[in-house]
Amino acid sequence: MKLTIEISEVPPTLNQLMRKGWKFRWRLGKQWQDLMACGTSAQERNALRRAKGIRRITLHCRHMKLWDAGDNAQSAYKVILDAGTRMGWWRDDSAEFVMVMPVTQERAKRRSDVLTRVTIEVEAAE
């Protein structure tokens, strides 16, 4: 099973997230949960909840300012993994249930081109 969600926002990095208070972080997590839910149909959400096996998640961001390679870019997964956990798409965001791939990014020419593409693949359970 493979599912692609396109969102016209860019997730915050951990540096951006940790500078804010818990209320802001909670609200932002809820916002990303809603964005991911709106990008999927009810059948897709139910199929993700019922699917057995590890989820492989790929994140592609097109935004105005590229992140430094490494931890800053990888930390953009935080709100996405938390949102998927809240929706029951995976039990936990640990390596036992979710495998994240390196973030790919490209520079957007204008603000209207900003995009986050989340691809979720469920690998068959053994």
Side-chain angles (χ1 to χ4, degrees):
M1 172 185 180
K2 184 175 181 177
L3 173 66
T4 301
I5 306 167
E6 290 193 351
I7 301 169
S8 61
E9 295 285 329
V10 177
T13 63
L14 202 53
N15 289 341
Q16 295 166 335
L17 207 55
M18 290 300 122
R19 290 184 186 130
K20 305 290 184 176
W22 69 269
K23 284 183 183 179
F24 175 84
R25 292 194 305 262
W26 184 84
R27 238 180 281 124
L28 190 65
K30 178 71 173 131
Q31 176 188 3
W32 274 87
Q33 181 180 346
D34 294 343
L35 288 170
M36 289 176 62
C38 288
T40 57
S41 67
Q43 292 92 356
E44 291 169 331
R45 290 191 299 272
N46 288 332
L48 265 174
R49 280 188 207 103
R50 288 191 304 261
K52 305 268 190 252
I54 193 166
R55 275 79 165 150
R56 186 165 79 197
I57 303 173
T58 307
L59 181 64
H60 174 79
C61 294
R62 184 186 319 138
H63 49 117
M64 302 303 287
K65 183 181 176 205
L66 299 181
W67 298 314
D68 298 334
D71 294 343
N72 210 17
Q74 285 299 107
S75 69
Y77 272 111
K78 172 120 179 82
V79 292
I80 292 165
L81 293 176
D82 289 347
T85 302
R86 286 180 185 168
M87 290 188 284
W89 291 359
W90 42 82
R91 189 177 305 164
D92 190 356
D93 59 4
S94 66
E96 182 180 348
F97 302 104
V98 177
M99 178 175 41
V100 295
M101 307 309 289
V103 174
T104 58
Q105 47 184 332
E106 65 179 287
R107 186 178 305 277
K109 291 183 176 38
R110 52 186 182 260
R111 177 74 180 121
S112 60
D113 292 340
V114 169
L115 170 81
T116 298
R117 183 176 299 120
V118 181
T119 306
I120 304 169
E121 294 179 70
V122 180
E123 295 183 3
E126 294 152 14

